[in-house]
Amino acid sequence: MTYFILQILPYISVSVLIIGLLYRMGRWASGRIVHNITLTPAPTTQAGALLDIAAEVVFFKSLYKADKSLWSGGWIMHVALFSILGGHIMGIGLLGLQFYYIGLTSEHTSEYLSNLLGTSFGVVVLLALLYLLYRRMAINEVKQLSAPSDYLHLLMLIAIVTVGNIMRFVPEWGIHYEPVRDYVANLLTFTPITPDMEVMHKPLFVLHLLLVQILMIYLPFSKLLHIPGMFAHRWIINRPYVEPAPGMPGVAVGGTGHAVSGGQSASGGVQ
Amino acid sequence: MPLTETGLKQPVKASAADMLKININPVPDDQKVEAAIKHLNELGQKFRSLMLTFESCVKCGACAENCHTYLGTRDPYNIPANRADLLRKVYKRYFTPEGRFFPRLIGAKDLELEDLEKMFSYFYQCNECRRCALVCPFGLDTCEVTMAGRQLLHWLGMVPKLHAAVGAAMAKTGNHTGLTKAGIVDTCEFLEEEIMDETGVEIKIPVDQPADILYIPSSADFLLNPNTMTGAAKFFHYLGVKWTISSEITEAGNFGLLFDQRATLRANCMRVIDEALKLGVKKIVWGECGHGWRAGKMYLPGMLDRPGRIPIVHIHDEVRYYIEKGALKLHKEVNSRPVTLHDPCNFGRACNMCDTLRVVMNACVTNFVEMTPNRERNFCCGGGSAILFDDPEMYDLRIKFSAKKAEQVRETGVGKNGDGILCAPCSICKAQLYPMVEEHELGVEVKGLIDLVGLALYPPLNK
């Protein structure tokens, strides 16, 4: 079983994730942007529109204006989760020496910082997830909207994070960066793993990895599609607002009439 | 199959005969479900925005407290995400892998006849105001789902009597109220006399005359909002331009946007262009109508069957242009009563017109008070997408939908002496607000923006 989870499942889960996402995004792409449904007021340049989308993606701007408590829970959860993902790459890829490599700290301090950040964000993301779960159960409107899967997504993330946190807080159940790096290197180079590798003997690590892989497998078939979905839909609705609208056939329609009619007044030479 | 769902509030449905007038042969009940699934697939595949809205919603509930229909009724199906779920659950069940294999888990369900009845109820309780799109973290647009839902119901033959009748009248006469040319000419002569009495100036409202500008009024401006029609006449007269209205298209609105975005929307768009060509005008100026301008500005360019070469602009933008050019002498002291402005949703969130409305407003009145929230964050009047149904149950809903608006107007304090003005530059807003300011006892009179422009251009004699 451990062998299956560590050696075979990763290739399956990564393939399902990638192919699944391509399938869903391909379906989206085959639909058309039929009408101009730009949400106004909108910027007048492409750069401005991209900046708007960036502000939405990075700061959840619309949500901040609409619902501060949901924004707090949601934004903190996403930022912490994103930092943790980054932390995994740094920790496993650079063994926690990233701050040393960019010349900020000594080797020792870098690893210490890496551990500190990982542990803190682990706690933060857990608290934020618990708040979101509480919110889903406590606020009547959200409760009415929720399907069983909406709770399961949160519980799944809570489970993954909890296992990760236990590995942080109970050193003997945790695992160091090096053995994981060797394991990942083996996966990437298609080198078979051997029974004496440390990863094979860390049940919590195996569990953590298993849960993550299950998440990766169902991600393209769940509401977690909001990750690419956000970019795709913002692309439709946060467009530069130019008069007349670009890329549309036919007639010039727009704001100040004289701009539309090429500076010509239509009033028959009176104005 | 008998309907088990009770207590559904529905507008009166168009009969089979009514539907034939808008070229739809209603699908018999026993074939509706099958037909609906087929059409839903077509809609989902065509509209990327629709598919994304179906597949990316995380059910965070941010839309709930931002929807005036939910705030007014507290009916769970009026939460935008839940309203969209009526269609989303069915779409997921049939057209996504997760819904095919785990429907219960993700909240997908088979389509049944009574779901269609539920959709008919709740998609016609949505004002298509897009405030939910504004607050959604992903910008998912429930309006797109409502539009798709209404399209689907239209193809099945389920359209409110009001919308079907308007669609038929539009196809027959070129306006929503069924006015014939004789009626239009008559009304215009009457309005000319009114202007004469009011201002002492002779101002004509030309019908079907050779001209440079074709003005597309809302047909409600002949009956319900005559001051908007005379306001526009005064504006064109002041500029001294050659303008006309056409008896073939005296309708700024386009109900195609609201229940049928294919044939009806296209036919109405083409009607404008055809008439402009026939009259040989140089420019089309659109009248005061929110959804109509959204259709004309955002949808029309993509709907035309051939290139349209005559520019189309909105009268508010025209007025703004001449104000900024200093070409208008506006006696703003005439409009000294306190005024607040209701930003029509379609102008604010779909057509980028908030600044224009304020430039015109500030040039025409002396006591302008903003309501909160305003501009693109404004709440809908509760009549949006023409759900102006008169049967008692639906009328009661309209009062509830406008509760948030009433609260906003009250907070401005413009009506505290009973002489306030609520400026609502949109025909549907006006039709909704005329009775609603009475129901909520707001102490304000509902007026259009062009009404105020007209008053400021040619002050009434008795002032």
Side-chain angles (χ1 to χ4, degrees):
Chain A
M1 191 63 195
T2 307
Y3 181 77
F4 174 75
I5 294 169
L6 291 187
Q7 180 70 79
I8 299 168
L9 194 57
Y11 295 112
I12 298 176
S13 53
V14 169
S15 311
V16 172
L17 178 70
I18 291 172
I19 294 169
L21 277 179
L22 287 177
Y23 161 69
R24 293 315 275 254
M25 287 159 72
R27 264 164 55 117
W28 295 344
S30 70
R32 289 191 286 134
I33 303 175
V34 182
H35 299 297
N36 182 352
I37 58 168
T38 304
L39 205 56
T40 63
T44 49
T45 59
Q46 186 69 48
L50 290 175
L51 211 64
D52 264 12
I53 297 176
E56 294 289 354
V57 171
V58 180
F59 300 112
F60 300 7
K61 195 174 76 177
S62 290
L63 191 59
Y64 178 77
K65 287 184 186 166
D67 186 338
K68 300 274 190 296
S69 66
L70 171 56
W71 178 86
S72 321
W75 189 76
I76 291 173
M77 191 279 275
H78 282 88
V79 167
L81 194 62
F82 192 75
S83 308
I84 289 170
L85 284 177
H88 276 70
I89 295 170
M90 289 301 161
I92 295 166
L94 303 175
L95 301 178
L97 300 178
Q98 60 273 22
F99 301 111
Y100 166 68
Y101 288 136
I102 58 171
L104 270 183
T105 60
S106 69
E107 271 182 53
H108 180 73
T109 321
S110 178
E111 204 177 336
Y112 172 77
L113 268 180
S114 187
N115 286 333
L116 183 71
L117 282 173
T119 311
S120 326
F121 275 124
V123 175
V124 170
V125 77
L126 182 62
L127 293 176
L129 282 167
L130 288 172
Y131 168 71
L132 290 178
L133 184 64
Y134 160 77
R135 184 182 172 278
R136 199 166 274 288
M137 295 192 294
I139 297 181
N140 202 19
E141 285 82 11
V142 194
K143 196 173 167 184
Q144 285 165 334
L145 283 171
S146 302
S149 60
D150 295 319
Y151 296 101
L152 289 178
H153 289 303
L154 283 172
L155 291 174
M156 184 63 161
L157 281 173
I158 288 173
I160 293 173
V161 170
T162 308
V163 174
N165 282 348
I166 294 174
M167 289 164 67
R168 278 279 182 200
F169 283 112
V170 188
E172 57 267 37
W173 290 347
I175 191 164
H176 284 287
Y177 294 139
E178 290 89 344
V180 184
R181 184 185 62 174
D182 297 341
Y183 163 63
V184 173
N186 273 22
L187 283 182
L188 289 177
T189 53
F190 299 96
T191 315
I193 55 173
T194 50
D196 60 332
M197 288 176 81
E198 196 181 334
V199 286
M200 293 288 282
H201 308 285
K202 293 282 181 184
L204 279 189
F205 172 79
V206 177
L207 179 63
H208 187 68
L209 190 64
L210 174 66
L211 292 174
V212 170
Q213 294 187 83
I214 295 173
L215 180 95
M216 284 162 71
I217 289 171
Y218 75 65
L219 190 144
F221 309 101
S222 71
K223 70 170 187 178
L224 299 182
L225 277 174
H226 71 272
I227 305 160
M230 175 174 198
F231 291 91
H233 202 268
R234 288 270 168 214
W235 178 250
I236 300 176
I237 212 150
N238 292 103
R239 311 211 122 207
Y241 184 92
V242 195
E243 289 169 352
M248 292 289 181
V251 63
V253 185
T256 302
H258 300 265
V260 172
S261 45
Q264 293 290 310
S265 168
S267 50
V270 179
Q271 269 295 333
Chain B
M1 188 167 50
L3 298 178
T4 55
E5 187 89 21
T6 52
L8 269 189
K9 293 175 181 168
Q10 290 185 336
V12 180
K13 277 201 198 91
S15 66
D18 294 334
M19 291 306 296
L20 265 184
K21 286 184 193 152
I22 50 173
N23 310 315
I24 286 284
N25 190 8
V27 178
D29 276 358
D30 58 340
Q31 296 165 28
K32 270 198 175 116
V33 169
E34 200 186 331
I37 294 169
K38 182 169 157 278
H39 294 323
L40 181 57
N41 191 27
E42 291 161 6
L43 287 167
Q45 283 179 347
K46 178 173 177 185
F47 290 91
R48 191 190 298 172
S49 54
L50 185 64
M51 201 191 279
L52 280 166
T53 304
F54 283 150
E55 297 184 1
S56 303
C57 177
V58 296
K59 313 282 173 68
C60 70
C63 43
E65 296 292 330
N66 285 289
C67 174
H68 63 288
T69 70
Y70 180 66
L71 291 176
T73 60
R74 294 286 163 185
D75 180 338
Y77 284 104
N78 275 333
I79 299 172
N82 232 356
R83 193 195 315 275
D85 250 20
L86 290 173
L87 213 48
R88 176 159 36 221
K89 284 182 172 179
V90 179
Y91 174 86
K92 283 193 167 171
R93 176 71 184 90
Y94 295 100
F95 307 115
T96 65
E98 61 269 31
R100 273 197 205 119
F101 299 119
F102 309 103
R104 279 272 179 78
L105 183 69
I106 61 150
K109 80 182 284 298
D110 288 321
L111 181 64
E112 290 165 73
L113 198 55
E114 59 189 84
D115 294 324
L116 292 171
E117 295 294 335
K118 217 174 192 174
M119 287 177 198
F120 184 70
S121 171
Y122 286 103
F123 286 143
Y124 282 99
Q125 288 185 44
C126 171
N127 287 120
E128 302 190 341
C129 78
R130 300 177 89 207
R131 205 167 187 279
C132 44
L134 185 76
V135 300
C136 175
F138 318 127
L140 300 181
D141 198 345
T142 303
C143 177
E144 290 291 296
V145 181
T146 295
M147 285 170 166
R150 290 182 178 190
Q151 178 80 70
L152 185 79
L153 294 170
H154 169 71
W155 283 337
L156 299 177
M158 297 161 77
V159 174
K161 201 173 176 58
L162 171 73
H163 290 68
V166 161
M170 183 71 193
K172 196 166 165 226
T173 58
N175 61 66
H176 290 172
T177 40
L179 279 172
T180 56
K181 175 163 184 181
I184 291 166
V185 172
D186 246 23
T187 315
C188 288
E189 279 169 7
F190 172 73
L191 291 176
E192 286 165 5
E193 285 166 25
E194 288 278 292
I195 301 174
M196 188 66 186
D197 291 347
E198 186 195 331
T199 64
V201 184
E202 192 187 346
I203 293 174
K204 291 286 171 206
I205 303 178
V207 182
D208 293 337
Q209 301 298 317
D212 297 320
I213 287 178
L214 170 62
Y215 178 59
I216 314 277
S218 164
S219 61
D221 294 354
F222 293 108
L223 309 161
L224 265 178
N225 331 309
N227 292 329
T228 307
M229 189 66 228
T230 55
K234 288 171 188 170
F235 170 64
F236 289 126
H237 179 82
Y238 187 94
L239 290 180
V241 296
K242 277 168 70 188
W243 70 291
T244 187
I245 57 175
S246 155
S247 60
E248 283 297 310
I249 173 83
T250 46
E251 186 51 72
N254 187 341
F255 273 33
L257 182 79
L258 311 178
F259 72 86
D260 174 24
Q261 297 198 347
R262 293 277 183 93
T264 311
L265 181 63
R266 186 185 306 275
N268 294 350
C269 289
M270 289 308 291
R271 196 169 182 127
V272 175
I273 301 298
D274 289 348
E275 197 50 28
L277 273 180
K278 216 189 304 170
L279 290 169
V281 298
K282 293 178 185 154
K283 187 192 261 183
I284 299 168
V285 177
W286 216 271
E288 229 171 56
C289 174
H291 86 276
W293 182 231
R294 184 177 182 201
K297 180 177 172 53
M298 309 302 263
Y299 286 64
L300 179 144
M303 291 305 286
L304 296 184
D305 292 333
R306 55 182 140 79
R309 301 205 169 97
I310 302 166
I312 303 176
V313 299
H314 196 277
I315 189 160
H316 294 154
D317 286 318
E318 285 291 279
V319 174
R320 177 189 181 173
Y321 173 82
Y322 287 109
I323 285 173
E324 287 179 343
K325 225 177 144 205
L328 304 180
K329 184 168 171 8
L330 291 155
H331 305 269
K332 64 192 316 196
E333 67 282 357
V334 175
N335 297 316
S336 58
R337 290 157 63 186
V339 188
T340 187
L341 173 67
H342 161 67
D343 290 84
C345 311
N346 283 301
F347 287 169
R349 283 184 283 274
C351 295
N352 207 19
M353 212 196 264
C354 294
D355 290 334
T356 300
L357 296 179
R358 277 158 185 78
V359 170
V360 177
M361 183 62 102
N362 284 319
C364 295
V365 305
T366 53
N367 188 0
F368 171 43
V369 189
E370 286 274 14
M371 59 171 79
T372 346
N374 53 31
R375 293 178 177 255
E376 77 277 9
R377 304 199 81 78
N378 191 29
F379 280 97
C380 170
C381 61
S385 78
I387 53 172
L388 303 164
F389 307 112
D390 277 336
D391 34 318
E393 220 174 30
M394 298 307 285
Y395 184 79
D396 178 57
L397 278 179
R398 281 170 61 191
I399 299 178
K400 289 177 176 159
F401 292 170
S402 61
K404 187 72 197 175
K405 182 89 286 160
E407 189 188 314
Q408 283 181 278
V409 175
R410 246 182 238 119
E411 277 170 10
T412 61
V414 294
K416 62 177 186 289
N417 298 326
D419 68 339
I421 293 177
L422 171 56
C423 177
C426 158
S427 277
I428 286 177
C429 298
K430 285 177 209 161
Q432 159 79 351
L433 290 170
Y434 286 141
M436 289 310 131
V437 295
E438 304 298 329
E439 298 287 354
H440 294 287
E441 296 173 350
L442 297 177
V444 294
E445 185 191 351
V446 179
K447 276 181 179 293
L449 186 55
I450 298 301
D451 308 26
L452 300 171
V453 173
L455 284 170
L457 277 175
Y458 293 100
L461 290 173
N462 58 0
K463 279 253 175 170

